[in-house]
Each structure stands twice: as structure tokens, then as C-alpha cells.
Amino acid sequence: MKSSSKKKLCNTPKTVVQPNKDALIKRLNRIEGQVRGVSKMIVEDRYCVDVLNQVSALQSALDAVAMQLLENHTHGCMQGAIKSGKGNAAIDELMVVLRKFAR
């Protein structure tokens, strides 16, 4: 891997203001509540299939958050990197992230 792909390309100080921050936080808070619900289901000895269905819903909810962040990154950070001539490094960085989701 090229050393340039290890650098953060968005807003050099490693911070990025998400364009839909409030909606993302709302989703994450809902997911947090779902996690507590799954924990409660286990404490209450609920039927395994019911718990697994809730875990599946959690995974889908987290995937939706990840896709929104990926879209934001592509339209913001990557687009800016490509315009500034750092497109190859941005693509390398993106591919590292995508490989983590493809596991």
C-alpha cells in the first residue's frame, strides 16, 4: 500500500462536518436503543430466533448509516481530492474502507 493512501484526505485536521449530521445522530441513537433492546431480550431469555431477527435489523441499520457516510465521503472528500489532483490517493483510501465492508 502506498504511504499516501494512509493520509486522511478530508479537512486535514481529521475532522469532517457531516452534511446531515442531525439525521445520522438520530439514526445512531435509535440503533443504540435497539442494542439495549437486544440485551434486554437476552436477559429475559427470549427465543433465539426473535433475538437473531433483532440483530439482523441492527446490522441493516448500521449498514444504512455506513452507506450514508460513504455517500457523504464520496460527494465531499473524494470529489475534493480528485479536483485537487489527489484522486489516486483518495481512491486507494476508499478501497481500503470498502474492503472492510466486503468481508
Side-chain angles (χ1 to χ4, degrees):
M1 179 186 314
K2 298 176 187 174
S3 62
S4 62
S5 65
K6 293 180 183 178
K7 293 180 182 175
K8 302 290 181 217
L9 298 173
C10 284
N11 301 343
T12 306
K14 297 182 185 178
T15 62
V16 177
V17 177
Q18 294 297 323
N20 51 352
K21 187 178 192 173
D22 290 340
L24 285 170
I25 295 301
K26 189 174 182 178
R27 278 183 169 194
L28 288 168
N29 288 337
R30 195 174 319 122
I31 290 168
E32 184 179 8
Q34 286 178 285
V35 170
R36 284 193 303 270
V38 169
S39 179
K40 183 178 177 188
M41 289 175 80
I42 292 171
V43 166
E44 295 173 350
D45 299 322
R46 297 279 298 273
Y47 183 53
C48 297
V49 172
D50 293 340
V51 177
L52 289 167
N53 285 333
Q54 289 304 309
V55 170
S56 176
L58 276 166
Q59 288 174 325
S60 293
L62 282 171
D63 286 345
V65 169
M67 290 307 294
Q68 183 61 60
L69 289 168
L70 178 60
E71 185 175 338
N72 294 350
H73 179 66
T74 303
H75 286 294
C77 301
M78 289 213 41
Q79 189 175 51
I82 290 167
K83 286 180 180 178
S84 70
K86 298 177 184 174
N88 286 334
I91 292 168
D92 289 345
E93 180 182 61
L94 179 64
M95 292 309 300
V96 169
V97 171
L98 288 175
R99 283 186 188 99
K100 290 178 184 179
F101 285 96
R103 292 182 194 168

